[in-house]
Amino acid sequence: MSVALRILDDGAWLSVNDQRRVSVSELWRLNAPDFCSCELVDFIAEGFTDVSADGRDVAVTTYGECIACGESGVPGRLPVGRIRHGEYVGYDRQNMVIEPIETRLRN
Ligand SMILES: [Zn+2]
């Protein structure tokens, strides 16, 4: 069973099976020490450029800004949910620390 993952509206939405599931303007807490010098990044997502599913996570390549220090850019591929039994299950993004896939792979 395949799941259709697409970025819509010039990067404003992640669509899963033609349903809009993740939008920019969410505030996320990141463990992304390469992004800025804050211990945890208070990250406001401004746009999605790509989406991937690696068997464990659905991850969006996201650009945005740390609202604490003003650093902006792309911290990496950020996991936002996963595919379970062919269904998308979104993570509780407001209440977790999101670690970019790149950072996780290095640790
Ligand atoms: Zn910062």
Side-chain angles (χ1 to χ4, degrees), residues 13-34:
W13 284 93
L14 166 65
S15 154
V16 183
N17 288 339
D18 296 321
Q19 284 191 308
R20 287 163 198 242
R21 302 304 292 264
V22 184
S23 80
V24 292
S25 305
E26 287 189 7
L27 183 62
W28 295 340
R29 180 150 283 200
L30 308 183
N31 175 17
D34 295 339

Side-chain angles (χ1 to χ4, degrees), residues 57-93:
D57 301 287
V58 174
V60 283
T61 305
T62 308
Y63 62 88
E65 182 176 326
C66 174
I67 61 172
C69 73
E71 183 67 45
S72 65
V74 179
R77 289 188 292 135
L78 305 179
V80 294
R82 63 183 161 149
I83 305 296
R84 191 169 59 188
H85 307 307
E87 300 277 339
Y88 172 79
V89 180
Y91 293 144
D92 183 12
R93 293 181 295 278

Side-chain angles (χ1 to χ4, degrees), residues 20-51:
R20 287 163 198 242
R21 302 304 292 264
V22 184
S23 80
V24 292
S25 305
E26 287 189 7
L27 183 62
W28 295 340
R29 180 150 283 200
L30 308 183
N31 175 17
D34 295 339
F35 184 72
C36 66
S37 55
C38 299
E39 191 170 336
L40 289 174
V41 185
D42 284 313
F43 184 78
I44 182 96
E46 296 175 336
F48 305 136
T49 57
D50 199 12
V51 57

